[in-house]
Amino acid sequence: MKTNYKKSYIQKIGLLALGSSLLITACQKSFLDVPPQAKQPAVTFWKTQDDATKAVNSIYGNIRNWANTAFPALAVESIGGDDAEKGSSPNDASYLNAFDNYTVTSTEGQLQGFWEGQYQNINLCNQVLDNVPGINMDANLKARYLAEAKFIRAYSYFRLVRAFGDVPLRLNVPKDPSEFNIPRTPKAQVWAAIEKDLDDAAAVLPQTYPAADRGRATKGAALALHAKVAMYLGKWDQVLSFTNTVMTMGYDLFPSYEAGFRLANENSVESVFEIQCDLILNNKDASNSQYSQVQGVRGTVAGWGFNVPTATLAAAYEAGDVRRDATIIFRGETTPQGDAIPATGDNPMYNQKSYVPFSLIVTGYTEGSQQNVRVLRFADVLLMNAEAANELNNPTLAKSSLNRVRARARGGVAGVLPDVTTSDKDALRQAIWKERQVELAMESDRYFDVIRQGRGTAVFGPKGWAAGKNEVWPIPSVEIDKSAGTLTQNPGY
């Protein structure tokens, strides 16, 4: 169910914006262009419960914007992997190829856009965390709002530290000029701050919401994200504990893998956290998500055709795996929703997980702007549980969680995707990693998964990936220049 707070991106007006202006590309709609007369003066803000609500809603609105879900995010978090490549026509946004072959330099604009997008999220969270405690309002709602802000702040710092390593850690709005220009914080401290925010959030957030608030951060989302953070840190006992808890909270695998990504099944029983998007008639500014548009089938009403699946991904699935056709739109096919895909065009494949049926495209609005972005799914929780159990020498639990994911992928057909039966630790580890590749394909996990697994050279080396450099992306040169050298560059860039 779509929720009213999805409309609230424009309610960000009146809040302080820190950092550089968001990089707007020629392809991007100017959804940040809000008439000045609509802005609420900051001096009159942070007074009432309604102000607190608007401020928290603005956080959710911001995480669906261009920097968080379109070119910058796809460049930094997806295209570098072996399951995705630039797509579109060869000459359109050719700069994105630098992320695929690891020739990107610190001046590339998508790095700057991603950096700014995350720090905009963090700034909005910090404003809530600094100002909402002083508002006289319902105490339980106040505590929940602060917990929601901590969850989103943790999510943005997770994206930053995974992409860049050491990054400036801001946990408050700067109070004077001396607090604006700060150096990069060692990544261990950033990870620790993320973990604290998620601990705090999980202690307060509700397990579920009424229908009108569905889609907000929950206790399960905080625990699942903490499990993923712990997985990156190799804290397997924590991964197991957090995922075991989430597995008792009522989540389940949606019966149909393909249908689970369609609009009618957003925020389903499998959803742990989704970025909420919507198409709101007569409100184009709020209908601003371009996640589906930039990945839609090129040459149709659907979109631009970027971030497309690779032949490597198509070949990775076992025979009969329903996830292959549910993840990849192939040229010449007819989708389950009845859309005939042209047999010729710029790309042989497109991302089906971001697909919105052509009949739901509304002329004059961003194509597919109503498509939510799946951030955490229960299948991911099960696979994290399997990996942790295996690392902690519990192959029985590891196989149970792994095979639960594989069972759905059979599509009810006996004899395909047989259960994994090995108890050999290394063989089981490889099976779990393989399952993550095909289950989570095109969901911006593969690239960083391979790196955290220590397989960057083996998997990405043929594309130019180099150990000692490409574990992280370069710090945007604009940020280094603005800092007058306070920020330093990553090695090799």
Side-chain angles (χ1 to χ4, degrees):
M1 176 176 178
K2 299 292 183 181
T3 60
N4 290 333
Y5 73 84
K6 293 185 179 186
K7 303 179 182 180
S8 64
Y9 182 81
I10 319 201
Q11 291 177 337
K12 183 169 75 74
I13 55 180
L15 302 183
L16 176 64
L18 292 176
S20 303
S21 299
L22 178 64
L23 181 67
I24 307 293
T25 73
C27 294
Q28 184 183 358
K29 293 186 176 181
S30 57
F31 59 81
L32 291 180
D33 295 339
V34 181
Q37 63 268 25
K39 294 183 178 178
Q40 182 176 349
V43 70
T44 68
F45 206 71
W46 306 115
K47 303 294 185 183
T48 67
Q49 180 168 300
D50 184 58
D51 291 342
T53 299
K54 289 178 180 178
V56 174
N57 286 352
S58 76
I59 298 171
Y60 287 100
N62 206 62
I63 63 172
R64 68 170 177 254
N65 73 10
W66 173 267
N68 282 283
T69 63
F71 273 20
L74 296 174
V76 169
E77 298 179 317
S78 181
I79 293 175
D82 58 345
D83 62 343
E85 57 192 1
K86 177 185 82 73
S88 186
S89 63
N91 294 325
D92 194 355
S94 58
Y95 49 82
L96 291 174
N97 286 319
F99 290 89
D100 193 34
N101 58 27
Y102 316 113
T103 60
V104 67
T105 67
S106 63
T107 61
E108 212 299 301
Q110 306 316 307
L111 292 169
Q112 178 69 15
F114 183 79
W115 179 283
E116 288 181 343
Q118 301 317 304
Y119 278 108
Q120 285 179 349
N121 299 338
I122 291 163
N123 174 51
L124 293 172
C125 293
N126 285 344
Q127 290 184 64
V128 166
L129 293 165
D130 282 0
N131 291 287
V132 167
I135 296 176
N136 185 17
M137 59 180 287
D138 178 86
N140 290 331
L141 184 61
K142 177 189 290 189
R144 196 196 85 195
Y145 279 170
L146 297 176
E148 290 179 69
K150 286 188 176 183
F151 172 82
I152 301 297
R153 184 169 69 178
Y155 172 54
S156 287
Y157 271 123
F158 169 71
R159 298 177 77 178
L160 282 168
V161 73
R162 188 171 69 162
F164 299 107
D166 300 350
V167 293
L169 180 63
R170 293 190 180 276
L171 299 178
N172 298 96
V173 177
K175 297 178 177 60
D176 59 63
S178 68
E179 296 183 357
F180 276 86
N181 190 19
I182 61 175
R184 297 169 67 186
T185 304
K187 62 184 179 182
Q189 294 180 37
V190 180
W191 284 115
I194 294 168
E195 292 185 289
K196 184 179 187 308
D197 272 354
L198 293 173
D199 278 338
D200 291 348
V204 173
L205 289 172
Q207 191 165 320
T208 60
Y209 288 92
D213 280 326
R214 192 171 300 149
R216 292 181 179 271
T218 62
K219 182 183 297 290
L223 291 171
L225 182 56
H226 202 162
K228 182 160 284 192
V229 168
M231 180 175 69
Y232 274 80
L233 297 174
K235 298 180 178 181
W236 296 112
D237 55 339
Q238 291 187 17
V239 179
L240 190 65
S241 176
F242 293 138
T243 54
N244 278 341
T245 300
V246 176
M247 288 164 63
T248 68
M249 298 176 72
Y251 298 103
D252 203 351
L253 296 175
F254 193 79
S256 167
Y257 186 84
E258 187 275 332
F261 291 92
R262 303 288 73 83
L263 298 177
N265 300 310
E266 292 177 337
N267 303 311
S268 72
V269 68
E270 185 166 353
S271 173
V272 181
F273 185 71
E274 299 181 11
I275 294 175
Q276 305 293 302
C277 306
D278 210 348
L279 191 156
I280 304 167
L281 294 177
N282 301 315
N283 194 341
K284 292 182 181 180
D285 285 328
S287 307
N288 58 34
S289 173
Q290 294 178 264
Y291 168 76
S292 181
Q293 179 190 55
V294 301
Q295 299 180 82
V297 178
R298 192 172 179 85
T300 68
V301 299
W304 306 345
F306 288 93
N307 192 52
V308 299
T310 62
T312 298
L313 175 62
Y317 295 90
E318 297 171 58
D321 191 334
V322 301
R323 295 172 295 193
R324 183 176 187 268
D325 285 342
T327 300
I328 304 172
I329 293 178
F330 292 93
R331 279 288 181 192
E333 77 163 85
T334 298
T335 69
Q337 290 71 35
D339 290 327
I341 307 301
T344 59
D346 289 312
N347 305 106
M349 295 174 281
Y350 294 93
N351 183 4
Q352 190 157 326
K353 291 180 176 178
S354 64
Y355 157 76
V356 171
F358 299 170
S359 63
L360 299 178
I361 303 297
V362 180
T363 301
Y365 290 79
T366 300
E367 297 93 339
S369 57
Q370 62 270 61
Q371 173 77 3
N372 283 1
V373 183
R374 276 62 169 178
V375 174
L376 290 165
R377 295 191 290 115
F378 185 59
D380 192 359
V381 173
L382 288 172
L383 292 175
M384 288 191 287
N385 182 265
E387 190 167 351
N390 184 55
E391 296 301 328
L392 295 172
N393 302 309
N394 187 345
T396 301
L397 176 58
K399 288 184 287 185
S400 174
S401 294
L402 170 62
N403 288 325
R404 190 171 168 185
V405 174
R406 289 176 63 80
R408 179 182 56 178
R410 295 186 191 114
V413 179
V416 301
L417 270 75
D419 280 355
V420 173
T421 59
T422 183
S423 293
D424 177 81
K425 188 172 186 177
D426 185 62
L428 189 50
R429 180 187 296 120
Q430 296 296 325
I432 294 165
W433 287 351
K434 178 72 170 181
E435 205 67 28
R436 288 188 66 84
Q437 178 187 14
V438 292
E439 174 67 32
L440 304 175
M442 305 304 294
E443 296 181 52
S444 296
D445 262 309
R446 172 66 175 175
Y447 178 63
F448 293 111
D449 252 356
V450 169
I451 292 173
R452 70 152 178 100
Q453 292 160 2
R455 299 190 296 149
T457 300
V459 178
F460 302 144
K463 296 202 304 172
W465 193 93
K469 173 183 178 181
N470 295 127
E471 288 85 357
V472 290
W473 297 111
I475 303 298
S477 60
V478 171
E479 297 299 323
I480 293 175
D481 292 343
K482 287 190 301 185
S483 77
T486 297
L487 295 182
T488 57
Q489 186 54 270
N490 279 322
Y493 295 105

